[in-house]
Amino acid sequence: MGLLVRAERFEHLTELALTDVHARQRLNRALHERGIDTTLRRRAKAGDSGALYHLVQLLCETAQFQEAHEAVDRLDPEHETRTSS
């Protein structure tokens, strides 16, 4: 996985991420490290909770706290039910 990331073969890694949890985790981390929030946002919207975690972490690192809060509200529909119990 590391070689794919170093070679920036994100398309191949994305394909592997459909069935391989390690590829999914490595892809999300690589996107975070490179600051590629648009792809993380797209992956989170598709239901990848790991991508949402990395997106929120990236937004907080860049002091975009309001946007991080809004991303959780928009992209994690179960957020309110988990936090209100």
Side-chain angles (χ1 to χ4, degrees):
M1 300 303 153
L3 291 174
L4 290 173
V5 170
R6 279 186 248 145
E8 296 192 6
R9 299 283 313 266
F10 295 121
E11 290 177 24
H12 188 82
L13 203 52
T14 299
E15 186 178 312
L16 288 173
L18 296 173
T19 57
D20 186 327
V21 67
H22 301 291
R24 187 168 43 254
Q25 291 170 345
R26 192 61 185 101
L27 174 61
N28 289 335
R29 186 175 29 182
L31 294 169
H32 173 192
E33 290 169 352
R34 286 163 177 73
I36 305 173
D37 63 327
T38 54
T39 305
L40 283 170
R41 190 178 307 274
R42 186 173 37 249
R43 293 181 57 73
K45 189 173 185 177
D48 185 340
S49 61
L52 178 60
Y53 170 82
H54 280 284
L55 174 63
V56 170
Q57 189 175 21
L58 178 62
L59 292 171
C60 288
E61 287 170 359
T62 56
Q64 298 177 58
F65 303 111
Q66 182 62 35
E67 191 170 336
H69 181 68
E70 290 170 4
V72 171
D73 287 345
R74 272 183 274 141
L75 300 174
D76 188 4
E78 295 182 21
H79 171 71
E80 277 194 48
T81 57
R82 284 197 308 259
T83 57
S84 62
S85 353

